[in-house]
């Protein structure tokens, strides 16, 4: 635990000790939680339900609820009360939105979000209030790095992880000169940073790092410059609506025939229908793929399709796994969420049997997971191979002490 918010920390610890009476140490939770168990557990969903990342937020939300419904609709025997905020992927509104959920709605857990800039604001508010938070997408490094905390978990990825995997694939192909292109915010910088780490380690170099402000989609000037610089490969970080447009514009600019386009899987996940033929054959790296041969995925995909009417993608998987992790923690303390230490310990040692394949969390609470190489075939990001096995983020600067 950091020294940050010491008064409240002490209150939590004292309450926790009084509540457990040392019983947890003896391996059981006492019956006196019966009264507390009757109150509902409040979940605060803070996700983008509108804007460029709307579909990402929607898939996370619906898959989260699917997992809860499949497992009895309760957490640790307690009913759930839901609060929801559309964060619109708008960083300046991030702190106010998180504060609404914590102060006005008095949520027990924050679930969110997608955009790394909004996540940074949420992270600060969660730390100020010591609010339990599970991140179902945003990959910003601070969440499991310099601003990590015992009560902050992530079930998705760090932005560095898929980027690093593609850098390795690109270097192994023998490509030497790359251009990176992205939106100018933390996720883009960290994703292209991961690509650069592996690509330069494998003998490649970055000719130029290009960026435009989020969520702009005017790519033409940069595509013209790429054509004149003639790199061996272009690595692009875009997601949601921006990814759909970028891939179409890349093909329309005539670049696809001469310069391979690669990226983290966000470039094609959930947007293949919108991209149409432009996405055909695109190779990306991610912690999820279509056609993974595991029982959890075989159960999940038809269930998600039935519940949402849409095909599963990585965002849906992350929402599903977020609920799984939360349930593992709350069930372990039989709904007594004031027994934080025990809840955290249970979550830390949980192995999630995810549709992406089984994974566990690092000491800083980020998934240690396989990164897959995928290739677009029809409307699927088809599994090709494991690009990097059990990849952990460097998690620089995290101290839980
Ligand atoms: C991010 O902002 O961290 C992010 C957004 C969409 C996809 C992947 C990462």
């Amino acid at each position: 635990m950091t020294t940050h918010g010491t008064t409240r920390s002490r209150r939590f610890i004292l309450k926790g000790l009084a509540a457990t009476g040392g019983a947890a140490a003896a391996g059981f939770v006492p019956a006196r939680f019966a009264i507390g168990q009757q109150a509902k557990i409040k979940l605060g969903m803070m996700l983008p339900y509108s804007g460029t990342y709307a579909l990402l937020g929607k898939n996370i939300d619906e898959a989260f609820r699917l997992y809860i419904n499949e497992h009895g609709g309760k957490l640790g025997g307690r009913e759930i009360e839901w609060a929801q905020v559309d964060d619109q992927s708008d960083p300046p509104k991030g702190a106010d939105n998180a504060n609404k959920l914590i102060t006005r709605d008095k949520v027990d857990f924050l679930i969110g979000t997608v955009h790394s800039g909004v996540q940074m604001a949420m992270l600060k508010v969660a730390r100020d209030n010591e609010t339990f938070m599970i991140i179902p997408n945003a990959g910003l490094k601070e969440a499991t790095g310099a601003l990590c905390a015992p009560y902050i978990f992530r079930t998705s990825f760090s932005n560095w992880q898929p980027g690093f995997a593609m850098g390795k694939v690109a270097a192994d192909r023998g490509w030497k000169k790359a251009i990176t292109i992205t939106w100018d915010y933390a996720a883009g910088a960290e994703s292209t940073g991961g690509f650069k780490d592996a690509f330069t380690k494998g003998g490649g170099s970055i000719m130029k790092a290009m960026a435009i402000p989020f969520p702009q989609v005017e790519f033409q000037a940069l595509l013209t410059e790429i054509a004149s610089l003639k790199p061996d490969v272009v690595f692009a970080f875009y997601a949601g609506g921006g990814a759909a447009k970028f891939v179409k514009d890349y093909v329309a600019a005539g670049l696809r025939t001469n310069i391979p386009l690669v990226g983290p899987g966000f470039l094609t996940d959930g947007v293949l229908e919108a991209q149409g033929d432009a996405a055909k054959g695109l190779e990306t790296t991610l912690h999820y793929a279509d056609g993974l041969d595991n029982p959890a995925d075989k159960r999940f995909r038809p269930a998600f399709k039935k519940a949402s009417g849409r095909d599963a993608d990585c965002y849906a998987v992350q929402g599903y796994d977020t609920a799984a992790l939360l349930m593992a923690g709350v069930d372990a303390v039989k709904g007594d969420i004031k027994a934080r230490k025990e809840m955290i310990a249970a979550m830390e040692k949980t192995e999630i049997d995810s549709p992406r394949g089984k994974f566990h969390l690092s000491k800083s609470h980020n998934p240690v997971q396989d990164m897959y190489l995928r290739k677009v075939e029809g409307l699927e990001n088809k599994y090709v191979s494991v690009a990097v096995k059990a990849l952990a983020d460097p998690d620089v600067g995290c101290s839980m002490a």
Side-chain angles (χ1 to χ4, degrees):
M1 185 88 62
T2 58
T3 52
H4 180 92
T6 317
T7 315
R8 207 179 140 96
S9 294
R10 183 168 301 137
R11 205 166 69 227
F12 268 121
I13 292 164
L14 290 176
K15 270 192 188 173
L17 283 176
T20 58
F28 66 94
V29 181
R32 64 183 293 277
F33 296 129
I35 294 171
Q37 271 179 357
Q38 284 162 24
K40 290 184 179 173
I41 289 189
K42 277 202 164 188
L43 300 185
M45 309 297 283
M46 181 162 154
L47 291 164
Y49 297 97
S50 62
T52 304
Y53 288 162
L55 200 55
L56 288 60
K58 218 170 152 201
N59 278 2
I60 289 169
D61 183 301
E62 289 179 31
F64 184 98
R65 290 171 198 258
L66 172 66
Y67 187 92
I68 301 274
N69 290 337
E70 283 178 346
H71 293 80
K74 292 184 178 180
L75 287 167
R78 292 170 63 177
E79 304 272 353
I80 299 169
E81 189 173 333
W82 303 83
Q84 187 172 310
V85 164
D86 177 5
D87 69 39
Q88 302 168 312
S89 296
D90 190 357
K93 293 188 193 145
D96 274 358
N97 282 332
N99 269 316
K100 263 185 220 157
L101 289 169
I102 293 172
T103 314
R104 181 194 66 190
D105 299 327
K106 305 208 168 8
V107 300
D108 298 304
F109 297 92
L110 270 182
I111 307 295
T113 189
V114 168
H115 184 288
S116 279
V118 179
Q119 195 71 58
M120 180 55 107
M122 275 181 94
L123 201 48
K124 289 177 182 159
V125 173
R127 284 170 58 95
D128 284 347
N129 294 277
E130 296 200 352
T131 302
F132 222 107
M133 178 166 75
I134 309 184
I135 303 170
N137 185 76
L140 83 164
K141 63 175 190 263
E142 285 83 357
T144 55
L147 297 180
C148 75
Y151 47 86
I152 293 170
F153 287 79
R154 177 157 57 200
T155 52
S156 50
F157 53 83
S158 74
N159 290 314
W160 180 91
Q161 285 174 305
F164 182 87
M166 188 40 91
K168 182 174 179 305
V169 170
D172 290 348
R173 292 267 163 93
W175 290 321
K176 293 291 174 214
K177 295 176 298 169
I179 287 180
T180 61
I181 181 164
T182 181
W183 276 313
D184 188 9
Y185 82 102
E190 292 166 15
S191 178
T192 55
F195 176 82
K196 184 178 174 187
D197 282 354
F199 190 60
T200 52
K201 200 169 148 200
S205 65
I206 307 296
M207 293 175 80
K208 186 149 187 181
M210 299 177 165
I212 59 168
F214 177 88
Q216 285 181 18
V217 289
E218 299 313 320
F219 303 115
Q220 205 46 55
L222 294 179
L223 293 175
T224 305
E225 198 182 345
I226 289 173
S228 71
L229 289 172
K230 297 187 178 51
D232 297 333
V233 61
V234 170
F235 173 88
F237 170 90
Y238 293 105
K245 177 146 192 310
F246 179 77
V247 167
K248 284 198 280 190
D249 285 5
Y250 194 86
V251 171
L255 293 177
R256 189 74 200 284
T257 34
N258 299 322
I259 308 173
L261 172 65
V262 299
F266 316 115
L267 194 62
T268 52
D269 248 53
V271 287
L272 285 177
E273 234 173 286
Q275 288 168 337
D277 277 353
K280 201 172 162 195
L282 273 186
E283 289 180 295
T284 58
T285 44
L286 202 62
H287 51 288
Y288 186 59
D290 294 312
L292 291 177
D293 191 18
N294 74 63
D297 197 42
K298 286 188 176 143
R299 279 193 305 272
F300 170 68
R301 291 174 75 97
F304 182 73
K305 179 86 181 180
K306 191 166 171 220
S308 70
R310 297 183 299 279
D311 289 322
D313 59 11
C314 71
Y315 309 109
V317 169
Q318 292 162 190
Y320 198 67
D321 294 344
T322 299
L325 181 66
L326 178 63
M327 193 173 278
V330 180
D331 282 2
V333 294
K334 296 190 169 56
D336 177 28
I337 58 175
K338 291 203 172 69
R340 279 194 152 203
K341 271 191 169 175
E342 293 76 11
M343 195 165 60
I344 289 168
M347 289 165 78
E348 283 175 338
K349 67 169 194 271
T350 295
E351 181 184 60
I352 305 274
D353 187 9
S354 167
R356 75 184 86 172
K358 291 183 179 162
F359 73 91
H360 68 275
L361 298 172
S362 67
K363 284 202 168 67
S364 45
H365 299 173
N366 191 62
V368 178
Q369 55 193 342
D370 292 348
M371 288 288 142
Y372 306 116
L373 176 64
R374 312 111 46 88
K375 187 170 184 167
V376 175
E377 265 178 41
L379 289 179
E380 295 203 320
N381 288 289
K382 273 269 178 223
Y383 169 85
V384 175
S385 60
V386 175
V388 185
K389 186 99 195 121
L391 184 62
D393 185 88
D395 285 338
V396 177
C398 172
S399 162
M400 295 282 185

